Amino acid sequence: METLTTVTVDSDKLKSLLSAEKEGAKVTIPIKDGVNAGEGKLTGEMVKSMESKSATLVIQKGASSYTLPAAEINITEVSKKLGTNVSLEDITVSVRISEPTNTMAKVVESAEKGKGFTIVAPAVDFTITCTYGGKSVNTASFNSYVERTIAIPEGVDPSKITTGIVVEPSGTIYHVPTRVTVINGTYYAVINSLTNSTYSVVWNPIEFSDMTKHWAKESVNNMGSRMVVTGVGNNSYDPGRNMTRAEFAAIMVRALGLAPDSAASTFSDVKASSWYSGYIKTAVSYGIIKGYDNGNFGPNDTITREQAMAMLSRAMKVTGLKVNLTDQSISKLIGSYTDSTVISAYAKESVAACLETGITAGRGNNTIAPKSFITRAEVAVMAERLLKKSDLI
């Protein structure tokens, strides 16, 4: 039986808090522990007033918390979905942290058995529901990363925490960018995600047998353990092998903690039945990839370093990793490499952005090698650096 605690935000107290604070106020709703579910309730009008002050809503339920910039609820769009003449004051916004339903708990349990990882913290559901007149709209995706913290239970070794995962009702699981932090002596998994769902924290150590003495050993094993990169069979990674454009797009989507889209691809050479179709659709929707001028994507073409850097620089916009470049700074950054003139015009700014942030570096002999094919080892290193530089892992 579910036990639910609801805390309703007082309109007058919220107004005084927002007027007393400058931009970026934090509105915290504490919910006592010991209940299955806790929710904070506001009106759409309150959410809009918080949005105008760039305020953040924090739902704190025992050892879990949900940090939500008010703008991410997107109340203006929500109100349009609820009806043409709906007043924001009449919309109820519920932000909820809860234990999964029995059905979802079984799905999580089955995922653990099937995938070979170990769940180290109980699964938690995060939901945002906006209602008016019997009609409901769920806010399930965001424009920027929304942070959740899940306390690591006592007795669990914090070094044996690999990553957070999303568990979908279908049983599909995927990585979400996660780092471990300690607050007042308690260890927490800090999960950043662009969607709402059921989350858990796992231990999933992977060490590829052919990475033992390789320069990229730590990065490849880390990205493998986080389910961002995969091996080639027999516990091998094959670090020196090249990669296709489809494979790289899939890694970018997995690194960012996104799910493959089930809709059909817009590229004429990407079949819906192909394993990479959903990844490419998601990558397009987040602006990470663009096709060739002829309308194709070239999924099976081997990806070059400059093509990879173009995708990485677009992924930086998704993670919020900012870089300020001028024509002069771009010329200076790439001009220090002996083969800078070989870089395609479309890729120059992307290459400079990747160099400036430290996500990529040149190859030997002071070269960028923009037209050379990227290796699987380099891809794992770049994916890891993207997440680390963006403070997501």
Side-chain angles (χ1 to χ4, degrees):
M1 181 180 169
E2 183 181 73
T3 52
L4 169 66
T5 296
T6 300
V7 177
T8 303
V9 176
D10 183 291
S11 178
D12 292 334
K13 286 182 179 176
L14 178 63
K15 279 179 185 173
S16 61
L17 188 151
L18 292 177
S19 60
E21 293 272 352
K22 293 179 181 176
E23 297 282 302
K26 267 193 178 178
V27 178
T28 302
I29 301 177
I31 295 166
K32 67 177 183 179
D33 210 358
V35 293
N36 302 114
E39 67 178 355
K41 276 197 171 179
L42 311 84
T43 66
E45 189 176 37
M46 290 182 197
V47 172
K48 191 67 182 174
S49 63
M50 287 178 65
E51 185 182 322
S52 67
K53 281 295 203 72
S54 302
T56 298
L57 180 66
V58 181
I59 308 292
Q60 188 91 45
K61 177 186 170 288
S64 302
S65 70
Y66 189 13
T67 304
L68 180 71
E72 291 298 337
I73 296 174
N74 207 349
I75 196 64
T76 303
E77 285 304 309
V78 166
S79 67
K80 290 177 185 175
K81 291 176 183 176
L82 289 171
T84 50
N85 297 311
V86 178
S87 166
L88 292 180
E89 191 178 0
D90 296 328
I91 297 173
T92 301
V93 179
S94 167
V95 184
R96 183 166 169 153
I97 300 177
S98 60
E99 295 175 9
T101 62
N102 287 338
T103 303
M104 270 309 296
K106 286 175 183 172
V107 171
V108 174
E109 193 180 311
S110 296
E112 179 180 30
K113 287 177 183 173
K115 300 294 182 182
F117 51 70
T118 304
I119 290 175
V120 295
V124 183
D125 273 350
F126 297 89
T127 51
I128 302 168
T129 308
C130 304
T131 56
Y132 170 81
K135 190 176 179 182
S136 294
V137 172
N138 280 354
T139 300
S141 60
F142 309 108
N143 293 317
S144 59
Y145 282 88
V146 171
E147 185 176 288
R148 304 140 181 83
T149 60
I150 298 176
I152 305 305
E154 282 188 35
V156 173
D157 182 349
S159 69
K160 287 186 166 52
I161 294 161
T162 306
T163 190
I165 58 167
V166 163
V167 184
E168 294 188 332
S170 63
T172 301
I173 60 113
Y174 55 91
H175 145 275
V176 268
T178 304
R179 65 183 189 275
V180 176
T181 189
V182 61
I183 305 167
N184 298 328
T186 300
Y187 285 90
Y188 293 87
V190 181
I191 298 171
N192 278 280
S193 176
L194 292 161
T195 59
N196 262 345
S197 196
T198 299
Y199 295 85
S200 195
V201 183
V202 301
W203 170 234
N204 184 49
I206 287 178
E207 293 187 11
F208 293 107
S209 57
D210 56 349
M211 295 304 300
T212 310
K213 295 181 180 178
H214 195 278
W215 64 271
K217 171 188 172 183
E218 299 299 330
S219 297
V220 169
N221 288 340
N222 184 22
M223 290 295 97
S225 299
R226 289 177 185 267
M227 310 175 203
V228 174
V229 301
T230 54
V232 295
N234 298 321
N235 196 36
S236 296
Y237 183 69
D238 202 358
R241 199 175 87 186
N242 298 327
M243 184 170 280
T244 66
R245 284 165 57 82
E247 287 171 331
F248 189 83
I251 285 170
M252 285 293 96
V253 168
R254 290 198 292 260
L256 296 174
L258 295 169
D261 196 320
S262 58
S265 169
T266 51
F267 295 115
S268 55
D269 61 344
V270 176
K271 294 178 182 176
S273 58
S274 301
W275 70 266
Y276 47 74
S277 175
Y279 289 109
I280 288 175
K281 182 67 178 175
T282 297
V284 169
S285 67
Y286 279 88
I288 298 164
I289 63 175
K290 295 176 182 177
Y292 296 138
D293 292 338
N294 62 4
N296 288 342
F297 179 66
N300 296 314
D301 293 353
T302 308
I303 192 167
T304 64
R305 281 170 53 85
E306 68 178 5
Q307 288 173 348
M309 289 185 222
M311 289 191 203
L312 279 161
S313 72
R314 296 183 203 121
M316 283 164 51
K317 292 172 183 167
V318 179
T319 66
L321 183 58
K322 291 179 172 59
V323 56
N324 297 312
L325 294 171
T326 62
D327 290 344
Q328 189 177 5
S329 62
I330 291 169
S331 297
K332 187 176 179 183
L333 279 161
I334 63 177
S336 60
Y337 293 89
T338 56
D339 57 352
S340 60
T341 55
V342 184
I343 301 170
S344 300
Y346 81 87
K348 285 183 178 179
E349 186 173 351
S350 297
V351 171
C354 289
L355 291 170
E356 175 69 8
T357 53
I359 289 172
T360 61
R363 276 189 174 172
N365 300 321
N366 198 33
T367 61
I368 289 287
K371 299 290 192 288
S372 297
F373 298 134
I374 198 167
T375 68
R376 285 170 54 82
E378 288 174 327
V379 169
V381 170
M382 290 177 185
E384 182 186 55
R385 285 179 185 162
L386 169 67
L387 296 177
K388 282 187 172 179
K389 300 287 183 183
S390 303
D391 200 27
L392 292 174
I393 64 172

